[in-house]
Amino acid sequence: MVFVTETTKPTKPFLRVLAGETVSPPPMWLMRQAGRYLPEYRETREKAGGFLDLCYTPKLAVEVTLQPLRRYGFDAAILFSDILVLPHALGRNVAFKEGEGPVLNPIRDENDIDFLKMDGMEKTLAPVFETVRGIADNLPAETALIGFAGAPWTVATYMLEGGSSRDFTVAKDWMFSRPAAFGKLIDTLVEATTRYLITQIDNGAEAIQIFDSWAGVLPAAYFRQWVIGPIAEITRRIHAERPGIPVIGFPKGAGVLYEAFVKETGVDGVGIDSSVPVRWAATNLQPHCAVQGNLDPLLLVSGGAAMENAVREIREALENGPFIFNLGHGVVPQTSPDNVAALVKMVRKPL
């Protein structure tokens, strides 16, 4: 594998933006662009059986990754997988139940952390790395490949709560009252996540996105400690060990803390959620890194004039600097594929 060096200029539009260039019209991709809104995805998922089976079957995972590219010609593909394959690879039971979402056997004491073993990680995740290679071998020449993982804080919440949560009672209790044990879990996840992402890079990923979906639930001081700190360390190690590979952070719900996030983590790009005012992002975030976002996914459901007006506002605010068009979160299942096609036309059209 030949790594991009700091003296090599990227040619793919998506990577050029992450290297600090302004590209117009902007490159675009969508979070959850491979998903249930596409009939071909639903058909492929039927063949796989369970959701984890789909993630761990390279032939099918490659297929669903490529499906939205065939339809829409996005500038980047993102590996089809899930953030919870990492705790699964560390030895925790993970299942996806219809109507309930992810279910894990929760960590209940510090001894459970000691049983998280990285020795078998690579074997469990081998199908994911095979998927990365398969995608890389089948991408159009101008399309970039994004690898990804969940951020340590967000993954820790699932491991401590045993699944999704509304109030994060268990995770916050550990964070507030058992900081040493909580720090031990985060440190383990920093190490495991870094190894996982570097192996994705070694198999063909050209950029990395770190999803911190629950970053916005933390008080400011804890955000700095458990969101900024771990992501800064992962980013530092990726930049040191695989120079030229850009990192995008997505601390959803960070609000005004987005500014500290981009200044203190060293990320090359930041995904902003739909609540972030785009002109504020242009002034406070874009001078420090590329900005990615941030159309409300439900505007994509509605389509029409409301979507067109929002797209124009986003582009007018952010297109004078390094900018990647995306949503403020993932495509939702009720989205019409025709609305996605209309969105692509809006973004590809010169302002």
Side-chain angles (χ1 to χ4, degrees), residues 8-71:
T8 303
K9 283 193 172 182
T11 58
K12 299 181 179 184
F14 175 81
L15 298 176
R16 286 168 55 200
V17 169
L18 290 172
E21 286 190 49
T22 299
V23 176
S24 185
M28 70 178 297
W29 69 282
L30 304 179
M31 289 181 278
R32 285 200 208 117
Q33 62 191 23
R36 286 178 288 169
Y37 75 104
L38 290 176
E40 56 267 42
Y41 170 88
R42 297 194 296 270
E43 186 180 324
T44 307
R45 183 165 171 174
E46 281 281 314
K47 295 176 186 173
F51 179 71
L52 270 182
D53 296 315
L54 179 54
C55 293
Y56 287 143
T57 306
K59 182 179 178 181
L60 299 181
V62 170
E63 169 60 20
V64 295
T65 302
L66 297 176
Q67 286 169 351
L69 303 182
R70 296 188 195 116
R71 271 191 182 250

Side-chain angles (χ1 to χ4, degrees), residues 90 92 107 109-118 174 181 184-185 188:
L90 290 171
R92 306 306 290 177
I107 288 175
D109 57 47
E110 197 167 345
N111 289 334
D112 289 337
I113 301 172
D114 293 330
F115 281 107
L116 298 176
K117 300 299 180 188
M118 284 179 242
W174 273 61
K184 185 177 179 180
L185 175 58
T188 300

Side-chain angles (χ1 to χ4, degrees), residues 84 87 90 92 104-108 116 154-163 185 189:
L84 297 182
L90 290 171
R92 306 306 290 177
L104 297 80
N105 60 320
I107 288 175
R108 283 293 173 254
L116 298 176
T154 287
V155 174
T157 67
Y158 285 97
M159 296 177 77
L160 291 166
E161 302 285 346
L185 175 58
L189 289 172

Side-chain angles (χ1 to χ4, degrees), residues 37 111 127 235 254 299 334 344:
Y37 75 104
N111 289 334
T235 302
L299 276 167
Q334 64 267 38
V344 172

Side-chain angles (χ1 to χ4, degrees), residues 179-202:
F182 185 73
K184 185 177 179 180
L185 175 58
I186 293 291
D187 288 346
T188 300
L189 289 172
V190 166
E191 176 64 27
T193 304
T194 304
R195 288 194 197 181
Y196 178 41
L197 291 173
I198 285 176
T199 308
Q200 289 185 39
I201 293 164
D202 290 351

